[in-house]
Amino acid sequence: MAEQQAPEHRHYDPLTSDGPRRKKGLGAFGIALIIVVGFHVALFVYLAGQKFEAVMKEYHDDAVDVELPPPPPPPAVVQPRPPIAPPPDVTPPPPLPIPPVKERVEQTAPPVISNVPPVPTNPPVRASVITKPDWARKPTADDMARYYPDRAQRMEVAGRATIACTVTAKGSLEGCSIVSENPADYQFGDAALKLSRLFRMKPKTLDGAPVDGGQITIPIVFQVPR
């Protein structure tokens, strides 16, 4: 058999070799690139042919005629109406009757005002104070023991009280009130008011008749009952 010749192997060098040759042709990318470049060239030529002119506005100093409305006419002068005279056959009204004015009499002297208060016809009789009573009856030792305050008696505390009373025409005492009591808080004043019912005094007389209204102050001394 005849020996077959082995195919020749070429060594590819990426630095020195141009590589395998490709088929010649623009392809789709090349066609698009040519279209874009042509569009820009046509746009540049169009813009270069245009002339840029500044638009200037012209202004004139001519005055503008403005028509104003005519002024209003002056107001008409109003003539006063002449008075109308009444007809001669109308009688005037009768005058109104006016009563005569009475003459006014003025007093020149000022009125007299008295500042003196009126004197009462029956002045109040001031009650007299009895300093030396004439007793017809006074409380006894048994009365003093019966009305002696319980608390003071239990604690064997002595005391005193003063009362003021009004003497009636019968000689009894009424309207009594406590003037003082010592020591306090032991009810010696209340005991003295109870004993006031046992006092009797000969009534005061005026022109031989007994009278009311005498004032008397009675001190009462309390001793512890034995």
Side-chain angles (χ1 to χ4, degrees):
M1 286 182 64
E3 295 180 1
Q4 294 182 359
Q5 187 178 359
E8 182 180 0
H9 295 281
R10 295 180 180 180
H11 180 68
Y12 173 70
D13 189 357
L15 298 177
T16 58
S17 176
D18 294 336
R21 296 182 180 179
R22 297 180 180 177
K23 294 182 180 180
K24 294 181 180 181
L26 296 178
F29 177 76
I31 295 173
L33 181 59
I34 293 174
I35 293 174
V36 173
V37 172
F39 175 75
H40 283 81
V41 171
L43 182 61
F44 177 76
V45 172
Y46 172 76
L47 295 177
Q50 297 293 326
K51 295 181 179 180
F52 297 94
E53 296 179 357
V55 179
M56 302 296 293
K57 291 184 179 180
E58 295 182 359
Y59 296 91
H60 301 281
D61 295 335
D62 298 339
V64 180
D65 296 333
V66 179
E67 295 182 0
L68 298 177
V77 179
V78 179
Q79 296 293 335
R81 180 178 295 179
I84 300 175
D89 55 349
V90 176
T91 57
L96 297 176
I98 301 175
V101 180
K102 295 182 180 180
E103 185 179 357
R104 183 178 179 182
V105 180
E106 296 183 359
Q107 296 180 358
T108 58
V112 179
I113 300 175
S114 178
N115 295 327
V116 180
V119 180
T121 56
N122 296 323
V125 179
R126 185 176 180 181
S128 60
V129 178
I130 302 174
T131 57
K132 295 181 180 181
D134 187 6
W135 297 110
R137 183 178 184 279
K138 296 173 64 177
T140 61
D142 294 338
D143 296 332
M144 298 288 293
R146 185 170 66 253
Y147 290 108
Y148 202 93
D150 294 340
R151 180 167 173 263
Q153 186 174 2
R154 290 195 306 269
M155 299 182 66
E156 297 184 355
V157 176
R160 63 177 62 235
T162 302
I163 57 176
C165 303
T166 301
V167 183
T168 65
K170 296 180 180 181
S172 61
L173 305 181
E174 65 179 11
C176 298
S177 61
I178 301 173
V179 178
S180 63
E181 59 179 332
N182 186 30
D185 299 334
Y186 279 90
Q187 299 181 350
F188 285 109
D190 294 338
L193 293 178
K194 296 176 182 178
L195 289 172
S196 65
R197 297 191 293 267
L198 304 178
F199 284 91
R200 287 290 184 277
M201 190 181 67
K202 293 181 181 180
K204 181 181 177 181
T205 59
L206 180 62
D207 296 334
V211 295
D212 293 328
Q215 301 292 326
I216 187 172
T217 302
I218 306 173
I220 301 175
V221 179
F222 293 87
Q223 297 293 337
V224 179
R226 300 298 179 183

